Each structure stands twice: as structure tokens, then as C-alpha cells.
Amino acid sequence: MAAPAAAQTEDPGSTSTTVGAAPDPSAGAVRGRLLDLKETDASEDDVPVPGVRITVEDSDGQEAGTAETDSGGLFRIPLPGEGTYTAKLDEDSLPDGVSVADDEIEFTLGPGQSRTLLFALNAPNRRTEGKVDLFLQSLVDGTYFGLLLALASVGLSLIYGTTGLVNFAHGELVTMGAIFAFWFNQTLGWPLILSGVLAVLATGAVGWLLDAAFWGPLRRRGTGNTALMVISIGVALAVLNLYLYVFGGRTRPYADYRAQPAIDFGTVSLPPKRIIGALLCLFFLVAVATALQRTRTGKAMRAISDSRDLAASSGINVDRVIRFVWLFGAGLAALGGILFSLSQDVNFEQGSSMLLLLFAAITLGGLGAAYGALIGGFVIGLFVSVSAVWVPTELKNVGALVVLILVLLVRPQGILGARERIG
Amino acid sequence: MDWGLIFRSTGQAAIGPDACYYALAAAGLNVHIGYTGLLNFGQAAFGAAGAYGLAVAVVTYGVSFWAALFIGLLVSIVLALVLGFPTLRLRTDYLAIVTLAAAEIIRLVVRSVRYTATLGGTDGLQAFGDAFFRLNPFDGGSYTPLEFRPDQVWLLVCAWPLVVVVLLVTFLLMRSPWGRVVKAIREDEDAVRSLGKNTYWYKMQSLMLGGVFGALAGIVFAMSKQSVNPDDYGTRFTFTAVAVMILGGTARVVGPVVGSVIFIGVLQFLDVFLRQAIDAGLIPGWVPIDVNKVAIIRLIFVGATLVLLMIYRPQGILGDRREVAIRDR
Amino acid sequence: MTVDAPPSWATTIPHEPGVAKPDPILVVDGVNRRFGGLLAVDVGHLEVQRGAITALIGPNGAGKTTLFNLLTGFDNPDSGSWRFAERDLSGVPAHRVAHHGMVRTFQLTKSLALLTVMENMKLGATRQRGERFWGALLRPLWRGQEKEIEERADALLERFKLSHVRDEFAGALSGGQRKLLEMARALMVQPELVMLDEPMAGVNPALKQSLLSHVKQLRTEGMTVLFVEHDMDVVYDISDWVVVLAQGRVIAEGPPAAIGANPKVIDAYLGTHFAEGGGEALGELGPDERLEVDQVGLGEPLTPGGAADA
Ligand SMILES: Nc1ncnc2c1ncn2[C@@H]1O[C@H](COP(=O)(O)OP(=O)(O)O)[C@@H](O)[C@H]1O
Ligand SMILES: [Mg+2]
């Protein structure tokens, strides 16, 4: 991260909310989060700095409010109203080894406004690693993220291919997996591995049910593809906010494998859970590819993607195959969500903030092209992560989306997609 | 329960700034989606173009408010050209995804730390509308049973006629041969090309027109808040406008206004009603609800409305079921 | 059914692929189009006689539609050029092609469902003042022209027996009526050459007869017609000249009577059906194209005599 943003908002800015969630109700305040960013770019290495005193004075030098950062490094200071203020960070309350570049920030507040303050902690320590090391690390991180995206986007692509639905609510299936696993693991206290397996099964079942009770009947009514797309947006919006309602806005970790020490491989370091997660992804991706190639249902899925009417007229039970697409697609999305949360913790909008990247992945691959999603997902994941070496973290998704637009400029049908016929 | 407050607040929202700018945003989408068949899910970007064009010109570059208004509209036209150039050749579904992505790109860039000095970052920009509010002839008296602040009254008195103009332009265009071409493109672009129309350029014109409407929406939004913030122009903005457009009736001239007044009114009703009901203890204790969660319920409601509308009344309030049936054939 | 005598030029020039016509309106040279490994169109030289009705026939997948797409700017060839009315039209975008006087219809009817029949027709008129953005806002600018266009459209609708559905949505018409509408709409452009891609497919026999007479009428009015057709009865009935396309190449040309007897043509039709006629070849076609295969059928008579008996 090039910018001296040692204190971050609760929403790290780099993620994009695809379907909007309700805004923070708090107003008329300043807030922020003090994080010691250590020396890596991986946000999971950031350490919150608790117990630091921050005082706000108004333009007359009168104290307007004060607070200490909590265990999460968060502070929030309610202020009386509009005006010009100065926030001061008490350097003596900083722990040893942590320094602040500028301990005073002047800011203005509009009526009812709430602002975020950025104190630059340990800014001089940042960027001690060379570009090459950063690049290698981001290559490794990107591989993991790419595998995840590939996994999560298979369902999105197959659902589009077989039913024509551009499902804006696919990200919610990703989140569902993570939340189910969280619930089994944290609330019911089951081991994470068991919780993960159950969450994948449960989300798969939800996918199955969604098709049986919702999308299937709509399809049979002859609802147009655009209408289906708009419906999926509504579903996404409703479900996302339902998650926010039930799960809350905080990011919460699983009980197990929380702070795994990273194994050092020379310039690159990785916690074991990520190695295992990557292997798991790889296993499932190979399994998906093989299943599409070899099994009856898999072949039928590809056949329907190619031409639905033709497949139907050659005796394939299209509805049954589509049901399986939903079952597996949702299950894989859930798995992607759980593996993502293993390193980034659980958040109600993790899936929806991933949605555009998923779209980018399947669009790159060619909408509906069965293997396109695998390739597209991997490329996008890698790209997002590697581009963060050069562009600010908060803009790393921008790069991927720009690439998406550029590719479509050259090949409007995507990398693996077939051209539309005219006439 | 204070029913007087509930109804006053509902009425106020129904003709207030929110209803006004959502009507404008939906009118733009109506040109794009309803008439031309361009599935633009990046309307928020046009709103941002208008609002930021105005705010940045005034706050960062010291341009006068009135010139800045035109800059806002100009930015939205440039945005339409830049966005349309690569995307207008794409199939509908790609177009939807790409416009959504483009709007997100813009939002992320605007809120980034790197450009804070120019664009204001996550805190946005304030104090750009003084020149407008200085002309406010209204003083504080109560003009209606509804309680708007004087500067709000002034804004509304200027903004609603703007909505009327926008609808009038839409009406004039859509009954003309130009409108015929654009509607024909919605039905089948290749057929129109074979008849000698440059469909690409018509789509571009439509994108610009609807984009300017979107920019006006962004400007009214910014003026009503007297602040621009990047996250106001996220997908929530676009999708609410889509809901408003569908509710009013796709490809109906006055649909956006009808949809907006009703939708924003109902949202507000729900909001105040729930708050009152919670305060009055009317909701049984086992229901997990508190006042802080009302905003979330509003959005669940927006989503549910979209779903139910599309399933049970895709033609909206003013549309004709028969047309929907013909389209789905 | 009376078969008109072929025009004199058709009997005097040689009956071979690529033969030069006395007064060509369209001249195609070396046009190639590949889809992956498949050479869909590979036309060495082809001329279309002005003022005549030329039929383009060939088995499914022969490349007829692709050739139409290329000539009208809906697709770009890998190589080749063509001249229309002495103007080089290669690389000209589709909408400009129409302005040069060349209009095509589509195999799958493209009626504009939520426009009325009349609106469909008016759309066909070119150079409308009201189609410009700023002009559109000022009705007085285009009201007069609109009226003229409407009169012209009404006359055509009358001719195509669509007057009674004038104000219906095009989407509410029957399939055959939509075919009629699409043809009438193309005529609103006032073209020199009309290219009809399977205008009779899916049209009931009664309508078919009236369509046929419309096409002949166009010739009387001095228009040139190039049309794709599978029904050999129709081809014999109205065309002056027949071009046979197989696997992208022109394999035969000649007046209708000479074509049915050409062994290459019989080979082309039968060959594709027997040699590649299995599920695989079908698998590459769209569903609509599969229907055509059934329509053509193997028993389709290729001689005028057979047609009369059938
Ligand atoms: N867009 C396309 N992509 C790939 N192959 C195509 C495309 N369009 C046509 N083809 C192939 O080109 C060949 C010619 O098709 P077409 O011109 O439609 O034949 P016809 O109209 O004579 O039946 C067919 O084999 C068809 O499958
Ligand atoms: Mg064809």
C-alpha cells in the first residue's frame, strides 16, 4: 500500500459493495481504526493497536471529545456539530516500536456528518521489501485468490450457460457458505472442518431448493432473461441485507486455525491453512473439469450450454441437469466462500464484493463457456493480487475490471465464448 | 403511534428531494433500458459525473456555480462517450455487467486516497451550492402542512420543474421518428441496421441523453445533501432507480415520476411506521428488531419489491400486460 | 402454375459457375469466410444480373446466409471484394449498405414486436429529418415528410394485404404475416436490389402464392431480387437464374430448367445428406436450421416434372 493509510475504516475500501448495504447509522462523529501494518501487504498481517488515546479539540482549543482505541484498534468520538477540529494522537500511549508520522490532523465537519481519520502508523517502515519479493508474495497470494475465484465462478458460469440467467445473487451463495460454516463452528462449537463440509452441503441444498422452488418455476413460466436478471438483483439486495440484519456488519473469524504461524519459504511465507486450501481448490477444480468431461451429467451440462433446444430434443432431461448445476454450483461457491474466510474472516458482504470479479472471470472466459470460468477466475485472481504491487490496494480491483473491458473491446464474445450468429 | 407524523413524513418524502432525484435517475434509465433496450446498470456513474463535475469544479477549481452546473452535464456526456465506445457493441448481458463494473471503477477511483486532494476521497466534498442557496427567496415560513427547510423548498421549486422538462423532452423524442428508431433497436438491432440506420450512433445518443438525466439526478441529490460522497453513487443508487422505473412502468413517459413518488413514499412510510411501532412497543419482544435495523429493513424491502414486481407485475403501474406478453413470446 | 419463359440473356450465356452477365448489378470476387477450420464461404466469382430474379439455392450449411451477411456488411470476410452498382461496397458497414440501395431480410423473421405494423413500415424510409436528434424535437420539421412516408407505407400495406393489421403490434401477427411485413418494410427503403433469405419458410400455401406474385411484381418495377429458397417449386416458378452454393462454393449456375438436371447439383444435395447426414452434422446446426433439413427432405423433387406431380 503506497498511501500512508495506517488507520483504516472498518470497510477497507478495496472491496466494492456490489449490491448496496445499509449505511452506517452513526453520524456527527469521527472514527477510525489504528492498525500496525507490519511489513507486508496482506491485510491479515495487520495488527490492531489498542489503548491509544486520541483527543479532539475544537477551533478554540477546547476539548470536544476523547477516546481510546479498543481491542480492534477502533475508535469513535461523537462530536457536538459542525465546525473545524483538530485530532491529536497521544504518542506516549503508543506501544513500543510503533510510531506515528503526524500526530495532529485538522478537519472540518459538516452538519450531521461523520468522518474517518487516517493516522499514519509506522509509515516509514512500510515498503522495506523489494519489489521482487513483493511480486513473488503477491504471485502466491494471487494463485490462492485465483483458485478461489475459479471455484466460486464455476456455478455462475454454468447457471448462465444452462439457463441464461445472469445471477447477481451468486455472491450471496459464496457468503452463505462462509456464514453457515461460522454458525456451525462458532455458535454450535463444531470443528471447522466438519462445519465447512456441512456448510458446503447445506448451501448446495439451498441451491437445489432455489431452482426447485424459485428459478425453475420462473423459467417454465417463460420469464425473459432480462427479467430474470432484474429478479436476481432484487434477490441479491434482499439477501445481502438479510445477512447484515442477522449476522451484523462486523467481520468475524472462525474459532479454529485463527492465527496460524506462517511457514517461511525464503522470500515467500504462507500459513499451512492456505496451502491446504489451495490444494483443496485445485482438487475440486480438477474434479469439476473431469466431471464435465467424463460424467453423463457433466456432458449433459456442456451440451445444454451449447444448445438448449438441441440437448432437449436429444433426450436430455434439461430440468434435472439444471437442478444439478444449481446443487454443485452453490456448493462450490460456498466452498470458495469458506476458504476465503479462512484467511479473511467472515463478513456479510464478502460474496457481494467478490461478485464483479466473478463476473469479470466468467466474462473473460466467455459467458457460459464451461471451462471459461476456470481460466477466467484464475487469471482475474492472479491479476488483482499482482497488480497490487504497483497500484494502491484500494484500486487493485479496478485493474481487473479495466482488463475486462479491454478484453471485450477486442473480443466481444470473451476469450472462449462463441460468436453470435446473425440471420 | 403518531399517525399524523407518519403520514406527514410519508407525504414529505413523496414530493421531497429523494423522490425528485430518483425520478430523474429513473427517467434516464427509462431512456436507456425502457426505450432503447440498453441494459445500463451503471446509472450511478452518471449521477456521480453530474454531482462531482459540479462539486469538483466549484470546490477544487473555484469555478462559479452556474458554469459548474454545465461542467457536470458535460462530464456526463463525456462519460457516455467513453463508456459507450467499448460497450455499445456488446450483447445485452455483457453490457449489464460492464456498465456495472464501470460504475464501480469510477466509485473506487473517486474514493481513493490518491486523488483525495482533487476529489475529496471518502469524505467527499461540501459547500459547493452556496451561490444557489443565496438566491433562496423563501424564508422559514411554513408553506404547506409539510415541514421542509427553506433551502429544501427552494431546491424543490427548482428541481420538480426540471423533472417536468425531462419528461417533456422524453415525450417529444419518443413520439418522433428518432424515438421510433430507438425503440426498434430495443426490439432487434440487426433489423434496424439492415434498414440503413446507424444503430451504434443512436445507442450512443440514447446513452448520452439518459446519462444527462442521470447527471441531473446526481446534481439534485448533491444539492439536497449539500455534499457529495463517493459511496452515495454505488449500486444501491442504480438498483433503486431500476426499481423505481419498473414500478412506474417501463417505457412510459411519466412512469419514473409515478414510480418514484410511490416508491420513495412507501419506503418512508415503512421507515417511520416501524420506528414508531418499535418505540410504542407494538412489536412483540421475540421479534429481533430495533431502531438501528430499520435502515436495513428498508433495503430488504427494495430488493423484495424488485422481485415481486418482476414476477407479478412486470408492466409496473402504468404499463400494459399485453406488451409484456408479446415481448416474452 | 405457369412457368415463365426465361429471359433471352439466360439462354445465350454459358451455364457455368462464375459466368459473366450482360448487365451485372452485383459482382463478387474471391470472397472467403472461415469459421475456425470451416471454410463457410469461398466464392471465386459471381455476378447477379440487373432487373432479374436470381435464386440462391444449396443444402443447409452451404453458406448462403453467411454470404448474405458478408455482402450486406453484417460480417467481415477474410478476403475478397464486391461491387454493387459500380461501387465498391467491401468493408462498408451494414447501415450504409442500405443507403446504396441494397437491402436484405433475415432467415429468422425480425419483425419489431412492440412497434405497430405501421411503425415497422415507417422505419424503413431513409433520410428522415425526424430521425436526427435535434430535428426530432421539432415536429413541424418532419410532419410533412412523415405524412408522405405514411402514404407510401399504406400503399405497400395494401399491396401486401396487411392494411387490416396496420395498427396492431407486429409481435401479434402470424408467422406468415411477419414475413410479408419484413419484405414490405425492406421495400420502404426503395432499394435497387432486395436480398431475401428464405422468404417463404414457414409461410402457409395461400400466403406463399401472394408472396410469389409480390416478388414477380418487384421485377416488373425494375428491381433486382436475389433470394434464398429451398422449395424447388418456388424456384422454378419465379426465378430467371439459379445459383447453386455447396460447401461455400458456387458449383453451378444456369436457368432453372437446366439446374435440376445438373448431376453436380443432385450430388451436392444428396451427398451432404448421405455422407454427413448423421447426428454430428446436425449437431453443428442451430435448431431452426434443423427444421429446414426436414423441410427440404430427401424426397424433394429436383425436376419441374416431379414438382408438378407432387
Ligand atoms: N457465426 C458462426 N460461427 C461459426 N460457424 C458458423 C457461423 N455462422 C455460420 N456458420 C457455419 O457456416 C456454415 C454456413 O452456414 P450458413 O451460411 O448459415 O448456411 P446456409 O444459410 O446455407 O444454411 C455452416 O456450417 C454453419 O455452421
Ligand atoms: Mg441460411
Short mmCIF file of all heavy atoms in Angstrom, two decimals, chain A residues 342-378:
data_model
loop_
_atom_site.label_atom_id
_atom_site.label_comp_id
_atom_site.label_asym_id
_atom_site.label_seq_id
_atom_site.Cartn_x
_atom_site.Cartn_y
_atom_site.Cartn_z
N LEU A 342 -11.28 -18.27 5.59
CA LEU A 342 -10.21 -18.88 6.35
C LEU A 342 -9.06 -17.88 6.52
O LEU A 342 -8.40 -17.83 7.55
CB LEU A 342 -9.72 -20.12 5.59
CG LEU A 342 -9.14 -21.27 6.39
CD1 LEU A 342 -10.08 -21.69 7.48
CD2 LEU A 342 -8.86 -22.43 5.45
N SER A 343 -8.83 -17.08 5.50
CA SER A 343 -7.77 -16.09 5.64
C SER A 343 -8.29 -14.67 5.85
O SER A 343 -7.59 -13.84 6.39
CB SER A 343 -6.83 -16.13 4.43
OG SER A 343 -7.55 -15.83 3.26
N GLN A 344 -9.51 -14.38 5.41
CA GLN A 344 -10.02 -13.00 5.51
C GLN A 344 -11.16 -12.84 6.51
O GLN A 344 -11.76 -11.78 6.57
CB GLN A 344 -10.49 -12.51 4.15
CG GLN A 344 -9.49 -12.69 3.03
CD GLN A 344 -8.47 -11.58 2.98
OE1 GLN A 344 -8.80 -10.44 3.19
NE2 GLN A 344 -7.23 -11.93 2.70
N ASP A 345 -11.52 -13.91 7.19
CA ASP A 345 -12.64 -13.91 8.14
C ASP A 345 -13.99 -13.73 7.44
O ASP A 345 -14.05 -13.53 6.24
CB ASP A 345 -12.44 -12.84 9.22
CG ASP A 345 -11.20 -13.14 10.05
OD1 ASP A 345 -10.72 -14.29 9.99
OD2 ASP A 345 -10.72 -12.23 10.74
N VAL A 346 -15.05 -13.83 8.25
CA VAL A 346 -16.39 -13.86 7.67
C VAL A 346 -17.00 -12.47 7.70
O VAL A 346 -16.99 -11.79 8.73
CB VAL A 346 -17.30 -14.82 8.45
CG1 VAL A 346 -18.64 -14.96 7.74
CG2 VAL A 346 -16.63 -16.16 8.61
N ASN A 347 -17.55 -12.05 6.58
CA ASN A 347 -18.21 -10.76 6.50
C ASN A 347 -19.47 -10.91 5.68
O ASN A 347 -19.50 -11.68 4.72
CB ASN A 347 -17.26 -9.75 5.87
CG ASN A 347 -17.86 -8.36 5.85
OD1 ASN A 347 -18.68 -8.05 5.00
ND2 ASN A 347 -17.46 -7.55 6.82
N PHE A 348 -20.49 -10.16 6.03
CA PHE A 348 -21.78 -10.35 5.33
C PHE A 348 -21.71 -9.98 3.87
O PHE A 348 -22.51 -10.42 3.07
CB PHE A 348 -22.88 -9.54 6.03
CG PHE A 348 -22.84 -8.08 5.71
CD1 PHE A 348 -23.71 -7.55 4.76
CD2 PHE A 348 -21.95 -7.24 6.35
CE1 PHE A 348 -23.66 -6.20 4.45
CE2 PHE A 348 -21.90 -5.89 6.04
CZ PHE A 348 -22.76 -5.36 5.09
N GLU A 349 -20.74 -9.14 3.49
CA GLU A 349 -20.71 -8.74 2.08
C GLU A 349 -19.48 -9.26 1.34
O GLU A 349 -19.14 -8.75 0.30
CB GLU A 349 -20.83 -7.22 1.93
CG GLU A 349 -19.78 -6.43 2.65
CD GLU A 349 -19.93 -4.93 2.43
OE1 GLU A 349 -20.91 -4.51 1.80
OE2 GLU A 349 -19.05 -4.20 2.90
N GLN A 350 -18.87 -10.29 1.89
CA GLN A 350 -17.68 -10.80 1.20
C GLN A 350 -18.01 -11.32 -0.18
O GLN A 350 -17.27 -11.13 -1.13
CB GLN A 350 -17.01 -11.89 2.04
CG GLN A 350 -17.83 -13.15 2.20
CD GLN A 350 -17.09 -14.19 3.04
OE1 GLN A 350 -16.86 -14.00 4.22
NE2 GLN A 350 -16.71 -15.28 2.40
N GLY A 351 -19.15 -11.98 -0.30
CA GLY A 351 -19.54 -12.52 -1.60
C GLY A 351 -19.94 -11.43 -2.57
O GLY A 351 -19.53 -11.43 -3.73
N SER A 352 -20.71 -10.48 -2.07
CA SER A 352 -21.19 -9.46 -2.99
C SER A 352 -20.05 -8.56 -3.44
O SER A 352 -20.07 -8.05 -4.55
CB SER A 352 -22.34 -8.67 -2.37
OG SER A 352 -21.85 -7.58 -1.67
N SER A 353 -19.04 -8.40 -2.58
CA SER A 353 -17.92 -7.58 -3.04
C SER A 353 -17.05 -8.35 -4.02
O SER A 353 -16.22 -7.78 -4.71
CB SER A 353 -17.10 -7.06 -1.86
OG SER A 353 -16.68 -8.13 -1.06
N MET A 354 -17.25 -9.67 -4.05
CA MET A 354 -16.50 -10.51 -5.00
C MET A 354 -17.24 -10.62 -6.33
O MET A 354 -16.69 -11.06 -7.32
CB MET A 354 -16.37 -11.89 -4.37
CG MET A 354 -15.11 -12.66 -4.67
SD MET A 354 -15.30 -14.33 -4.01
CE MET A 354 -14.92 -14.09 -2.30
N LEU A 355 -18.51 -10.22 -6.32
CA LEU A 355 -19.38 -10.53 -7.47
C LEU A 355 -18.84 -9.99 -8.79
O LEU A 355 -18.83 -10.69 -9.80
CB LEU A 355 -20.79 -10.00 -7.23
CG LEU A 355 -21.76 -10.32 -8.36
CD1 LEU A 355 -22.05 -11.80 -8.41
CD2 LEU A 355 -23.06 -9.55 -8.21
N LEU A 356 -18.37 -8.75 -8.75
CA LEU A 356 -17.89 -8.18 -10.01
C LEU A 356 -16.67 -8.92 -10.52
O LEU A 356 -16.49 -9.08 -11.72
CB LEU A 356 -17.57 -6.70 -9.83
CG LEU A 356 -18.76 -5.79 -10.10
CD1 LEU A 356 -18.39 -4.36 -9.85
CD2 LEU A 356 -19.24 -5.97 -11.53
N LEU A 357 -15.84 -9.39 -9.59
CA LEU A 357 -14.68 -10.16 -10.02
C LEU A 357 -15.15 -11.49 -10.61
O LEU A 357 -14.58 -11.98 -11.59
CB LEU A 357 -13.73 -10.39 -8.85
CG LEU A 357 -13.08 -9.13 -8.30
CD1 LEU A 357 -12.11 -9.47 -7.18
CD2 LEU A 357 -12.35 -8.38 -9.39
N LEU A 358 -16.18 -12.07 -10.03
CA LEU A 358 -16.73 -13.31 -10.58
C LEU A 358 -17.26 -13.07 -11.99
O LEU A 358 -17.03 -13.86 -12.91
CB LEU A 358 -17.85 -13.86 -9.70
CG LEU A 358 -17.45 -14.30 -8.29
CD1 LEU A 358 -18.66 -14.78 -7.52
CD2 LEU A 358 -16.42 -15.41 -8.36
N PHE A 359 -17.96 -11.97 -12.14
CA PHE A 359 -18.46 -11.62 -13.48
C PHE A 359 -17.30 -11.43 -14.44
O PHE A 359 -17.33 -11.89 -15.58
CB PHE A 359 -19.29 -10.35 -13.43
CG PHE A 359 -20.71 -10.59 -13.02
CD1 PHE A 359 -21.41 -9.65 -12.29
CD2 PHE A 359 -21.37 -11.76 -13.39
CE1 PHE A 359 -22.73 -9.86 -11.92
CE2 PHE A 359 -22.69 -11.97 -13.03
CZ PHE A 359 -23.36 -11.03 -12.29
N ALA A 360 -16.30 -10.69 -13.96
CA ALA A 360 -15.13 -10.46 -14.81
C ALA A 360 -14.55 -11.80 -15.23
O ALA A 360 -14.21 -12.01 -16.40
CB ALA A 360 -14.09 -9.63 -14.07
N ALA A 361 -14.49 -12.73 -14.27
CA ALA A 361 -13.92 -14.04 -14.56
C ALA A 361 -14.71 -14.76 -15.65
O ALA A 361 -14.14 -15.22 -16.64
CB ALA A 361 -13.89 -14.89 -13.29
N ILE A 362 -16.01 -14.83 -15.49
CA ILE A 362 -16.77 -15.62 -16.46
C ILE A 362 -16.93 -14.87 -17.78
O ILE A 362 -17.12 -15.47 -18.81
CB ILE A 362 -18.13 -16.09 -15.91
CG1 ILE A 362 -19.11 -14.94 -15.78
CG2 ILE A 362 -17.97 -16.81 -14.59
CD1 ILE A 362 -20.52 -15.43 -15.59
N THR A 363 -16.85 -13.55 -17.73
CA THR A 363 -16.94 -12.80 -18.98
C THR A 363 -15.67 -12.98 -19.79
O THR A 363 -15.70 -13.18 -21.00
CB THR A 363 -17.15 -11.31 -18.70
OG1 THR A 363 -18.20 -11.19 -17.75
CG2 THR A 363 -17.54 -10.57 -19.94
N LEU A 364 -14.55 -12.91 -19.07
CA LEU A 364 -13.27 -13.15 -19.74
C LEU A 364 -13.29 -14.51 -20.41
O LEU A 364 -12.89 -14.67 -21.55
CB LEU A 364 -12.15 -13.15 -18.71
CG LEU A 364 -11.40 -11.88 -18.46
CD1 LEU A 364 -10.17 -12.20 -17.62
CD2 LEU A 364 -10.97 -11.28 -19.78
N GLY A 365 -13.76 -15.49 -19.67
CA GLY A 365 -13.78 -16.85 -20.20
C GLY A 365 -14.82 -17.01 -21.30
O GLY A 365 -14.80 -17.97 -22.04
N GLY A 366 -15.75 -16.08 -21.39
CA GLY A 366 -16.86 -16.24 -22.33
C GLY A 366 -18.06 -16.72 -21.57
O GLY A 366 -18.05 -17.83 -21.02
N LEU A 367 -19.09 -15.89 -21.48
CA LEU A 367 -20.27 -16.25 -20.68
C LEU A 367 -20.75 -17.63 -21.09
O LEU A 367 -20.99 -17.89 -22.26
CB LEU A 367 -21.39 -15.23 -20.91
CG LEU A 367 -21.27 -13.88 -20.22
CD1 LEU A 367 -22.54 -13.09 -20.39
CD2 LEU A 367 -20.99 -14.09 -18.75
N GLY A 368 -20.91 -18.49 -20.12
CA GLY A 368 -21.50 -19.79 -20.39
C GLY A 368 -20.52 -20.82 -20.92
O GLY A 368 -20.85 -22.00 -20.97
N ALA A 369 -19.32 -20.41 -21.30
CA ALA A 369 -18.35 -21.40 -21.75
C ALA A 369 -17.91 -22.19 -20.52
O ALA A 369 -17.44 -21.61 -19.54
CB ALA A 369 -17.16 -20.72 -22.41
N ALA A 370 -18.07 -23.51 -20.57
CA ALA A 370 -17.94 -24.32 -19.36
C ALA A 370 -16.57 -24.18 -18.71
O ALA A 370 -16.46 -24.01 -17.50
CB ALA A 370 -18.23 -25.77 -19.68
N TYR A 371 -15.49 -24.22 -19.50
CA TYR A 371 -14.17 -24.14 -18.89
C TYR A 371 -13.70 -22.70 -18.75
O TYR A 371 -12.71 -22.41 -18.11
CB TYR A 371 -13.15 -24.92 -19.71
CG TYR A 371 -13.50 -26.37 -19.84
CD1 TYR A 371 -13.90 -26.90 -21.05
CD2 TYR A 371 -13.47 -27.19 -18.72
CE1 TYR A 371 -14.25 -28.24 -21.16
CE2 TYR A 371 -13.82 -28.52 -18.82
CZ TYR A 371 -14.21 -29.05 -20.05
OH TYR A 371 -14.56 -30.34 -20.14
N GLY A 372 -14.42 -21.79 -19.40
CA GLY A 372 -14.03 -20.40 -19.39
C GLY A 372 -13.88 -19.87 -17.98
O GLY A 372 -12.93 -19.17 -17.65
N ALA A 373 -14.84 -20.24 -17.11
CA ALA A 373 -14.84 -19.73 -15.74
C ALA A 373 -13.56 -20.12 -15.02
O ALA A 373 -13.00 -19.33 -14.27
CB ALA A 373 -16.06 -20.24 -14.98
N LEU A 374 -13.13 -21.35 -15.25
CA LEU A 374 -11.93 -21.83 -14.55
C LEU A 374 -10.74 -20.95 -14.91
O LEU A 374 -10.02 -20.47 -14.05
CB LEU A 374 -11.64 -23.28 -14.94
CG LEU A 374 -12.75 -24.28 -14.68
CD1 LEU A 374 -12.28 -25.69 -14.97
CD2 LEU A 374 -13.19 -24.20 -13.22
N ILE A 375 -10.57 -20.75 -16.20
CA ILE A 375 -9.43 -19.95 -16.65
C ILE A 375 -9.60 -18.49 -16.23
O ILE A 375 -8.71 -17.89 -15.64
CB ILE A 375 -9.30 -20.04 -18.19
CG1 ILE A 375 -9.07 -21.49 -18.58
CG2 ILE A 375 -8.19 -19.14 -18.69
CD1 ILE A 375 -9.20 -21.75 -20.06
N GLY A 376 -10.79 -17.95 -16.54
CA GLY A 376 -11.05 -16.54 -16.23
C GLY A 376 -10.86 -16.25 -14.75
O GLY A 376 -10.25 -15.25 -14.38
N GLY A 377 -11.38 -17.11 -13.89
CA GLY A 377 -11.28 -16.91 -12.45
C GLY A 377 -9.83 -16.84 -12.01
O GLY A 377 -9.42 -15.95 -11.26
N PHE A 378 -9.07 -17.78 -12.52
CA PHE A 378 -7.68 -17.84 -12.13
C PHE A 378 -6.93 -16.58 -12.59
O PHE A 378 -6.20 -15.96 -11.83
CB PHE A 378 -7.04 -19.09 -12.73
CG PHE A 378 -5.68 -19.34 -12.22
CD1 PHE A 378 -5.48 -19.78 -10.91
CD2 PHE A 378 -4.57 -19.13 -13.02
CE1 PHE A 378 -4.22 -19.99 -10.42
CE2 PHE A 378 -3.30 -19.33 -12.53
CZ PHE A 378 -3.12 -19.76 -11.24
#
